[in-house]
Amino acid sequence: MALVQIRDVYKTFQRDTQRIDVFTGLSLDVAQGSFTALMGPSGSGKSTLLNLIAGLDRPTSGTVRVAGADVHAMSAAQLAAWRARHIGFVFQQLNLLPVLTAYQNVELPLLLTRLSKQERAERVRVALGVVALDDRIHHYPRQLSGGQEQRVAIARAIVADPTLILLDEPTGQLDAKSSQEVLTLLQRLNSEFGKTVVIVTHDAHAADKAKTVLHLEKGALIERAAVGA
Amino acid sequence: MKIPLVYNVRSVLQRPVSTALTALGIALVVAVFIGMLALASGFRTALVRTGSDRNVLVLRRGADSELSSGLSRETASILAASPHVATGADGHPLVSPEVYVLIPLPKIFDTTQVANVVARGVSDRAWTVRSNVRVVAGRKPESGRSEICVGQRIVPRFPHTGIGETLRFAGRDWGVVCHFAAGGSAFESEIWGENEQFMPVFRGQVFQSITMRLSDPGAFDEAKRSLETDKRMTVDVHRESDFYVQQSQLLGRLLRVLAFLITGIMAIGAVFGAVNTMYAAVASRAPEIGVLLTLGFHPRSVLASFLLESAIIAAAGGAAGCLFALPINGIVTSTTNWASFSEIAFSFRVTPGLLLTGLVFAVVMGVLGGFFPARRAARVPVVQAIR
Ligand SMILES: Nc1ncnc2c1ncn2[C@@H]1O[C@H](COP(=O)(O)OP(=O)(O)OP(=O)(O)O)[C@@H](O)[C@H]1O
Ligand SMILES: [Mg+2]
């Protein structure tokens, strides 16, 4: 069974008199252990899709199942707990709490677990090590570069060992070199640690690293297997 | 508490000016609140300290104050012979039949303003019956002479009250021969002379009250019953401590009600200040809230976090308010006690309990002011907040 099962999802935004139908009967599977790049023109619904998978937004109709759970049938409390356990999310920007250090930001998801202080410290160190930021542990976000900030956000997304890592244009604000670093990192997470990754990107290089590339075009999917890996 | 406190503390420090202003508003309310309650507490304490539970105060039946009472010499001797009265070291009963009048005296700061001061004519026993009274300067008035002893709270407030000076009232000149203290009680706002000297110049051959020491303080009910049922006199017997507590109640309660009313109105302003600050904080930190919710923090944790933040600001304000209020502790002020129509001087009393109440009040204001903004924070729509 696929990790993510999207079945016949409709999503409509109503703004004043204007009605925007983003999805009209979208169905999609994301397999466990896959690395999927989601591409498509601006406004095609990529962010909306990611938000539906993470339970941050509700579909107008249809079902979204992730790791066996019907995401939109859960109460707010269940959803919060579910998200803490299964989802690591990286936004395009504004990921980090500016008043907390890199360490404290990465530790946040672990505060929702039963891990002891030492166990948390160990995990945070490992996660920051994976993103090669061992030497920036006690820096504040404003003392980090854009690429470093995104890597901290990725460390935070993986620190609690979630089932699924979702990234919405994580390299959108980065230069070529930084975004290359981030992508290489994601590839490692997928191949070495077996993490399931879904990344929204406009970057063709990024798509090259993925095993599966999905093209969204006006709410409809065009699937394509990636060439490289 | 899942969202770490350090997040709130650092966020608060990020906006020092608006935080400080909000805290200052709360500080002012708390300072006024403590100040007014310190006034009420000081007034009440002065009267509570006045009465002793070992003494009884006898008034004419139906009289609700010493002013409206009148007792004959015969009543005084019946009471002195009662077995319920303790005897002093010299074998005489500890009874003080007293003359109680109000005399108008001009105040020292503004001599056009006149205050009613209690002039109490006492027997020589009074100094023993009232065990908290003690001469602090000079010597006691001698029997048969126009001499007075002035309570120490009066001395700085009225002219001609220094030792060696002459105070004129009731058509006579009275030599001031001593000052006395009485443990901060209302007696310190009185002028004492000999009852036999005061009687002829005031109301003639009547005493207003008779105070006496009980031989057995536990037997008050029995003493009260036997004295009130004595057919030779018509008197009410009060425990002295209860009598003065009773006197403090009318004005004491009013002061408290005023304190709550005035600070209540001020508190509304301070709470709106907190509401404003917290709404601004929630609005500017919406993306951060979106991140917290995305990470899986429960909306209730977000609510608690912002409530706590508001409470922290308020508690800081409350602590500042306590500091503002502390210096008034011990400052002497005066008012007319409505139960006796006389001027009574007393000091503000800022007690630890009062400070704690002020702090709790501050936190309550913070929580009230933080509630709606915190609820908005908990309901931040993640998708919009992150866009
Ligand atoms: N909250 C909203 N209210 C109204 N319309 C919305 C809302 N969110 C998204 N939309 C609309 O839904 C459509 C899909 O938006 P979405 O953000 O998913 O696009 P996207 O593919 O992520 O685009 P981009 O590449 O620019 O990020 C757009 O037309 C957008 O205007
Ligand atoms: Mg988008």
Side-chain angles (χ1 to χ4, degrees), chain B residues 73 76 97-99 120-124 142-146 172 174 193-202 204-207:
Chain B
R73 283 185 186 278
E98 297 178 352
V99 176
R120 187 183 290 276
V122 300
S123 82
D124 199 38
E142 268 175 41
S143 180
R145 301 176 69 163
S146 285
R172 253 166 87 173
W174 306 84
E194 197 196 357
N195 49 9
E196 295 298 342
Q197 297 301 310
F198 280 8
M199 231 184 219
V201 298
F202 289 114
Q205 294 298 314
V206 280
F207 297 113

Coordinates of all heavy atoms in Angstrom, one line a residue, chain B residues 73 76 97-99 120-124 142-146 172 174 193-202 204-207:
Chain B
R73 N -21.9 58.8 88.5 CA -20.9 58.4 89.4 C -21.3 57.1 90.2 O -20.4 56.3 90.5 CB -20.6 59.5 90.5 CG -19.8 60.7 89.9 CD -19.5 61.7 91.0 NE -18.9 62.9 90.5 CZ -17.6 62.9 90.3 NH1 -16.8 61.9 90.5 NH2 -17.0 64.1 89.8
A76 N -20.5 54.2 88.2 CA -19.0 54.0 88.3 C -18.6 53.2 89.6 O -17.8 52.3 89.5 CB -18.3 55.3 88.3
P97 N -13.2 55.4 85.0 CA -14.4 56.2 84.5 C -13.9 57.4 83.7 O -13.0 58.1 84.1 CB -15.1 56.6 85.8 CG -14.3 56.0 86.9 CD -13.0 55.7 86.4
E98 N -14.4 57.5 82.5 CA -13.8 58.5 81.6 C -14.8 59.5 81.0 O -15.9 59.2 80.7 CB -13.1 57.8 80.4 CG -11.9 56.9 81.0 CD -11.2 56.1 80.0 OE1 -11.6 56.1 78.8 OE2 -10.1 55.6 80.4
V99 N -14.3 60.7 80.8 CA -15.0 61.8 80.1 C -14.5 61.8 78.7 O -13.3 61.7 78.5 CB -14.7 63.2 80.8 CG1 -15.4 64.3 80.0 CG2 -15.2 63.1 82.2
R120 N -9.9 63.0 76.3 CA -10.3 62.0 77.1 C -9.9 62.3 78.6 O -8.7 62.4 78.8 CB -9.8 60.6 76.7 CG -10.3 59.4 77.4 CD -9.7 58.1 76.9 NE -10.0 57.7 75.5 CZ -11.2 57.1 75.2 NH1 -12.0 56.7 76.1 NH2 -11.4 56.8 74.0
G121 N -10.9 62.4 79.5 CA -10.5 62.6 80.9 C -10.5 61.2 81.5 O -11.5 60.5 81.5
V122 N -9.3 60.9 82.1 CA -9.2 59.5 82.6 C -8.9 59.5 84.1 O -8.5 60.6 84.6 CB -8.1 58.8 81.9 CG1 -8.4 58.7 80.4 CG2 -6.7 59.5 82.1
S123 N -9.1 58.4 84.7 CA -8.6 58.3 86.1 C -7.2 57.9 86.1 O -6.7 57.4 85.1 CB -9.5 57.3 86.9 OG -9.0 56.0 86.6
D124 N -6.5 57.9 87.2 CA -5.1 57.5 87.3 C -5.0 56.1 86.9 O -3.9 55.7 86.4 CB -4.6 57.8 88.7 CG -3.1 57.8 88.7 OD1 -2.6 58.4 87.7 OD2 -2.5 57.2 89.6
E142 N -0.5 65.6 86.9 CA -0.8 65.4 88.3 C -2.2 65.7 88.6 O -2.9 66.5 88.0 CB 0.1 66.4 89.1 CG 1.4 65.8 89.5 CD 2.3 66.8 90.3 OE1 1.7 67.6 91.1 OE2 3.5 66.8 90.0
S143 N -2.7 64.9 89.6 CA -4.2 65.0 89.9 C -4.4 66.4 90.5 O -3.6 67.0 91.2 CB -4.5 64.0 91.0 OG -5.8 64.1 91.4
G144 N -5.6 67.0 90.0 CA -6.0 68.3 90.5 C -5.4 69.5 89.8 O -5.7 70.6 90.2
R145 N -4.7 69.2 88.7 CA -4.1 70.3 88.0 C -4.5 70.3 86.5 O -4.9 69.3 86.0 CB -2.5 70.3 88.1 CG -2.1 70.3 89.5 CD -0.6 70.1 89.6 NE 0.1 71.3 89.1 CZ 1.4 71.5 89.4 NH1 2.1 70.6 90.1 NH2 2.0 72.5 88.9
S146 N -4.5 71.5 85.9 CA -4.9 71.7 84.5 C -3.7 71.2 83.6 O -3.1 72.0 82.9 CB -5.2 73.1 84.2 OG -6.4 73.5 84.7
R172 N -10.2 77.1 79.0 CA -9.2 77.1 80.0 C -7.8 76.8 79.3 O -7.8 76.3 78.2 CB -9.4 75.9 81.0 CG -9.9 76.4 82.4 CD -10.5 75.3 83.2 NE -9.5 74.5 83.9 CZ -9.8 73.6 84.8 NH1 -11.1 73.3 85.0 NH2 -8.8 72.9 85.4
W174 N -4.4 74.7 79.3 CA -3.9 73.4 79.8 C -2.4 73.3 79.5 O -2.0 73.5 78.3 CB -4.7 72.3 79.1 CG -6.2 72.4 79.2 CD1 -7.0 73.1 78.4 CD2 -7.0 71.8 80.2 NE1 -8.3 73.0 78.9 CE2 -8.3 72.2 80.0 CE3 -6.7 70.9 81.3 CZ2 -9.4 71.8 80.8 CZ3 -7.8 70.5 82.1 CH2 -9.1 70.9 81.8
G193 N -6.4 64.0 79.8 CA -6.3 64.7 81.1 C -6.9 64.0 82.2 O -7.4 62.9 82.0
E194 N -7.1 64.7 83.4 CA -7.7 64.0 84.5 C -9.2 64.1 84.3 O -9.7 65.2 84.0 CB -7.3 64.6 85.8 CG -7.6 63.6 87.0 CD -7.5 64.3 88.3 OE1 -7.1 65.5 88.4 OE2 -7.8 63.7 89.3
N195 N -10.0 63.0 84.6 CA -11.5 63.1 84.4 C -12.1 64.2 85.3 O -13.0 64.9 84.9 CB -12.1 61.7 84.6 CG -11.7 61.0 85.9 OD1 -11.0 61.7 86.7 ND2 -12.0 59.8 86.0
E196 N -11.6 64.3 86.5 CA -12.2 65.3 87.4 C -11.9 66.7 87.0 O -12.7 67.7 87.3 CB -11.6 65.1 88.9 CG -12.0 63.8 89.5 CD -13.5 63.6 89.7 OE1 -14.3 64.6 89.6 OE2 -13.9 62.4 89.8
Q197 N -10.9 66.9 86.1 CA -10.6 68.3 85.6 C -11.5 68.6 84.4 O -12.0 69.7 84.2 CB -9.1 68.4 85.2 CG -8.2 68.3 86.3 CD -8.4 69.3 87.4 OE1 -8.5 70.5 87.1 NE2 -8.5 68.9 88.6
F198 N -11.7 67.5 83.6 CA -12.5 67.7 82.4 C -14.0 67.8 82.6 O -14.7 68.5 81.9 CB -12.3 66.5 81.4 CG -11.0 66.6 80.6 CD1 -10.1 67.6 80.9 CD2 -10.8 65.7 79.5 CE1 -8.9 67.7 80.1 CE2 -9.6 65.8 78.8 CZ -8.7 66.8 79.1
M199 N -14.5 67.1 83.7 CA -15.9 67.0 84.0 C -16.6 68.4 84.1 O -17.5 68.7 83.3 CB -16.1 66.3 85.2 CG -17.1 65.2 85.1 SD -17.4 64.4 86.7 CE -17.5 62.7 86.2
P200 N -16.1 69.3 85.0 CA -16.8 70.6 85.1 C -16.8 71.5 83.9 O -17.8 72.2 83.6 CB -16.0 71.2 86.3 CG -14.8 70.5 86.4 CD -15.0 69.1 85.9
V201 N -15.7 71.4 83.1 CA -15.6 72.3 81.9 C -16.4 71.8 80.7 O -16.6 72.5 79.8 CB -14.2 72.6 81.5 CG1 -13.5 73.3 82.7 CG2 -13.4 71.4 81.1
F202 N -16.7 70.5 80.7 CA -17.5 70.0 79.6 C -18.9 69.7 79.9 O -19.7 70.6 79.9 CB -16.8 68.7 79.0 CG -15.5 69.0 78.3 CD1 -14.3 68.6 78.9 CD2 -15.4 69.8 77.2 CE1 -13.1 68.9 78.2 CE2 -14.2 70.1 76.5 CZ -13.1 69.6 77.1
G204 N -20.5 68.4 82.7 CA -21.0 68.3 84.1 C -20.7 66.9 84.7 O -19.8 66.2 84.2
Q205 N -21.5 66.5 85.6 CA -21.2 65.3 86.5 C -21.6 64.0 85.8 O -22.3 63.2 86.4 CB -22.0 65.4 87.8 CG -21.4 66.6 88.6 CD -20.0 66.4 89.0 OE1 -19.5 65.4 89.4 NE2 -19.2 67.5 88.8
V206 N -21.1 63.8 84.6 CA -21.3 62.5 84.0 C -20.0 62.0 83.3 O -19.2 62.8 82.9 CB -22.4 62.5 82.8 CG1 -23.8 62.4 83.4 CG2 -22.2 63.7 81.9
F207 N -19.9 60.6 83.4 CA -18.8 60.0 82.6 C -19.5 59.6 81.3 O -20.7 59.3 81.2 CB -18.2 58.8 83.3 CG -17.6 59.2 84.6 CD1 -18.2 58.7 85.8 CD2 -16.4 59.9 84.7 CE1 -17.5 59.1 87.0 CE2 -15.8 60.2 85.9 CZ -16.4 59.8 87.1

